[in-house]
Amino acid sequence: ALAGLEKTLIRAPISGTINKLDLDAGSFVNASMPVIYITSAGGLEAVAYVSGNDIGDIAVGAKATVGSAIQGTVARVAAALDPVTKKAEIRVAVPPSAPLVAGQSATISIERSVRGAAAGTSGSISTSEG
């Protein structure tokens, strides 16, 4: 009985709240098919997509502004461009106290260092994402 129960449990790599469940009792799914959408209890991440021209100027740890005043930090930079869109995904960690809702659209400005410029010279990249 315990072995059968163990096969029915679904475990997530994060703790959080289930936002959406695309599954009915008795449904069959493939191993890689997303069926449950979870919002992390540790805070949201804002996702942006930047062009191949900008990706080299963004580093993990760079400061970012989400919306007009929410301060965040670049948590992840994709290692490669999407072959179809030719853009790279950037994830910005925002504090749990940020007044954001999962799925909300916002403008994101990411601090970058300009290649070939003098030390300390910086600019920003802005993008609007959902």
Side-chain angles (χ1 to χ4, degrees):
L2 285 175
L5 175 62
E6 197 63 31
K7 291 179 182 178
T8 63
L9 295 176
I10 299 172
R11 291 186 174 84
I14 62 169
S15 62
T17 303
I18 295 175
N19 287 342
K20 186 176 179 183
L21 179 63
D22 287 340
L23 197 60
D24 294 319
S27 297
F28 289 95
V29 296
N30 295 325
S32 62
M33 184 176 172
V35 293
I36 299 175
Y37 299 87
I38 301 173
T39 300
S40 172
L44 296 175
E45 286 184 328
V47 179
Y49 297 88
V50 298
S51 72
N53 294 335
D54 293 325
I55 192 70
D57 294 337
I58 301 172
V60 171
K63 294 179 184 175
T65 304
V66 179
S68 59
I70 301 167
Q71 296 302 307
T73 305
V74 174
R76 188 169 33 165
V77 178
L81 299 177
D82 180 287
V84 175
T85 64
K86 304 296 184 203
K87 294 192 176 213
E89 182 182 272
I90 307 293
R91 291 189 172 261
V92 176
V94 294
S97 61
L100 294 174
V101 177
Q104 178 179 350
S105 295
T107 299
I108 302 170
S109 296
I110 303 169
E111 184 180 87
R112 69 172 171 176
S113 59
V114 180
R115 289 179 279 198
T121 303
S122 65
S124 68
I125 299 168
S126 293
T127 183
S128 293
E129 296 297 331

